[in-house]
Amino acid sequence: MTSTTQTTVGIGAAAETTDMVLNIGPQHPSTHGVLRLRLVLDGERITSAEPVIGYMHRGAEKLFEARDYRQIIMLANRHDWLSAFSNELGVVIAVERMLGMEVPERAVWIRTLLAELNRVLNHLMFLGSYPLELGGITPMFYAFREREDLQHVMEEVSGGRIHYMFNRVGGLKEDLPLGWTDRVRAVVAAARSRMDVFDDLVLGNEIFRGRTRGVGVLSPQAVHAYGVSGPIARASGVDFDLRRDEPYLAYGELGDVLKVVTRQEGDCLARFECLLEQTHNSLALADACLDRLAELPPGPVNQRLPKVLKAPEGHTYAWTENPLGLNGYYLVSRGEKTPYRLKLRSASYNNIQALTELLPGTLVADMVAILGSLFFVVGDIDK
């Protein structure tokens, strides 16, 4: 085997017989966080790729151990800042499971509704930013118009625009404002009526399809090997969704509305299509939750808790189907008011590792298309 020489450069050329080691970052093309890619190039073709993570130095798992069960909710909703409400859910479900606590029915349905609204907010960000990374600026404006309308109702109910802090162990912070469900219904209907913009403007664009069809194909075998989940896994034909396969909250009663969107191609285009179709379905699920809430009688939305909340000694694992994939919390308690250990299994951490499989053999020009189609948040990687 002929030995080769590696030349590490920033920007520039090298001899024809020299492999180039190119550092992309540390940054993300659409500034979803700080990521570095170390690429080895043979001309314009990538021969190997290594995602270099850890630039955010979050240390959230150790911080969990120094805060009580009320305070860790604040930490949990920050690792994926586009899915704050969904992150909170995993923690409170784990603690409630340790306590053997039953959550009021009204709180269960409100949680389900807010989780799906949060899923739409997350997906809209990527539906707008992914075309932007490929040179199309217009979809971003449409995505943010819908996000702002949804953010208004989320802010009204919780008081926060990004970090909602609305979940509590045993339920929710408080009941819904008067007339809030009617305003949500109007916002959901308006968003659904305008979602065809992405069908026509993005999927109907031949340049977008040319840049994404057949590019960055991820096989089902690689999905399982790297622990990839969420829309990225389902775009490769892996038909798995916790909302259907291990129902939590009220998803067990929404089987006739819930649709698990899959594709077989596994390329960048299939990943975008899964994300878009799943957004349509989340709007339908939000409507179903609103209908159910309208039928429920008035009632409590939380449980009365002791002044000092201590989980009994033991351990449990709670996982949820977050917008970006599987999100899990492994909670170990020694009977104190703080967790002895709280291990986070985040979706983006596993998903981004698939770049080592996706990028080799592709052109540098396709790198951004592949990277953007993995729909990750770097805070969800650097946990």
Side-chain angles (χ1 to χ4, degrees):
M1 182 176 179
T2 305
S3 61
T4 59
T5 303
Q6 287 191 348
T7 302
T8 304
V9 298
I11 299 174
E16 290 184 3
T17 58
T18 304
D19 286 343
M20 177 189 295
V21 179
L22 183 66
N23 284 292
I24 306 292
Q27 65 184 9
H28 185 283
S30 62
T31 66
H32 293 309
V34 183
L35 175 72
R36 171 184 161 210
L37 288 178
R38 184 180 183 275
L39 308 178
V40 178
L41 308 180
D42 180 9
E44 287 293 310
R45 197 165 295 278
I46 299 170
T47 58
S48 70
E50 177 192 2
V52 183
I53 64 175
Y55 285 93
M56 296 191 70
H57 306 293
R58 293 182 54 81
E61 291 181 349
K62 293 303 293 181
L63 292 172
F64 284 142
E65 299 172 13
R67 284 153 177 80
D68 66 35
Y69 288 108
R70 292 179 175 91
Q71 295 170 328
I72 59 174
I73 299 172
M74 176 274 297
L75 290 170
N77 70 18
R78 280 164 165 75
H79 59 84
D80 176 359
W81 45 77
L82 295 178
S83 310
F85 187 86
S86 301
N87 298 340
E88 298 171 14
L89 269 178
V91 168
V92 296
I93 289 174
V95 180
E96 288 161 1
R97 190 172 295 169
M98 292 283 285
L99 293 166
M101 182 178 290
E102 193 78 21
V103 178
E105 184 182 14
R106 184 170 171 79
V108 170
W109 281 97
I110 295 173
R111 280 179 174 180
T112 310
L113 168 62
L114 293 174
E116 290 307 312
L117 293 178
N118 193 200
R119 194 181 308 276
V120 174
L121 280 168
N122 176 289
H123 290 355
L124 281 170
M125 173 61 77
F126 292 105
L127 291 174
S129 67
Y130 186 45
L132 179 65
E133 291 162 16
L134 299 180
I137 190 172
T138 308
M140 196 65 165
F141 297 125
Y142 287 107
F144 266 82
R145 178 185 65 183
E146 309 307 333
R147 277 179 54 85
E148 279 302 306
D149 291 343
L150 286 164
Q151 287 281 28
H152 286 159
V153 294
M154 294 291 282
E155 184 178 7
E156 181 186 357
V157 73
S158 67
R161 281 182 60 83
I162 304 297
H163 306 300
Y164 304 110
M165 280 297 295
F166 196 56
N167 278 291
R168 296 292 186 272
V169 176
L172 299 167
K173 173 186 172 186
E174 57 195 8
D175 207 344
L176 304 174
L178 185 65
W180 182 80
T181 53
D182 294 331
R183 291 187 284 278
V184 174
R185 197 180 291 275
V187 167
V188 169
R192 182 187 289 107
S193 69
R194 297 192 290 247
M195 284 301 293
D196 60 344
V197 165
F198 298 98
D199 294 295
D200 301 335
L201 188 65
V202 182
L203 289 181
N205 186 292
E206 62 183 58
I207 298 175
F208 178 83
R209 300 183 76 88
R211 289 291 306 276
T212 56
R213 186 194 286 116
V215 175
V217 176
L218 184 65
S219 68
Q221 293 76 21
V223 167
H224 293 301
Y226 287 94
V228 175
S229 59
I232 302 171
R234 293 191 283 273
S236 296
V238 178
D239 188 6
F240 180 73
D241 191 313
L242 277 178
R243 296 174 297 170
R244 179 199 63 193
D245 301 324
E246 282 193 27
Y248 58 98
L249 296 181
Y251 290 114
E253 301 180 45
L254 292 169
D256 56 336
V257 183
L258 175 62
K259 179 183 178 183
V260 179
V261 182
T262 60
R263 293 289 187 276
Q264 300 301 318
E265 295 82 2
D267 56 8
C268 295
L269 181 60
R271 291 190 277 274
F272 186 87
E273 288 176 342
C274 276
L275 203 72
L276 178 56
E277 194 171 338
Q278 188 168 287
T279 307
H280 284 284
N281 187 239
S282 289
L283 291 169
L285 286 167
D287 264 341
C289 291
L290 288 167
D291 293 340
R292 185 71 177 95
L293 281 170
E295 299 170 358
L296 290 177
V301 294
N302 49 40
Q303 297 277 18
R304 183 178 294 276
L305 299 177
K307 188 173 182 180
V308 178
L309 179 63
K310 295 183 178 181
E313 189 169 347
H315 60 91
T316 190
Y317 181 69
W319 58 344
T320 55
E321 186 69 41
N322 268 32
L324 297 181
L326 298 180
N327 187 75
Y329 294 99
Y330 177 61
L331 171 63
V332 181
S333 171
R334 291 285 179 90
E336 301 296 331
K337 66 177 182 178
T338 60
Y340 175 75
R341 184 78 172 91
L342 189 56
K343 169 68 177 172
L344 167 62
R345 190 272 187 215
S346 60
S348 299
Y349 180 80
N350 287 72
N351 291 354
I352 202 67
Q353 307 307 321
L355 284 171
T356 59
E357 183 96 10
L358 282 174
L359 290 178
T362 64
L363 297 173
V364 176
D366 291 329
M367 184 269 296
V368 173
I370 297 170
L371 181 63
S373 72
L374 291 188
F375 312 128
F376 62 89
V377 171
V378 177
D380 206 37
I381 301 171
D382 295 344
K383 53 191 179 176

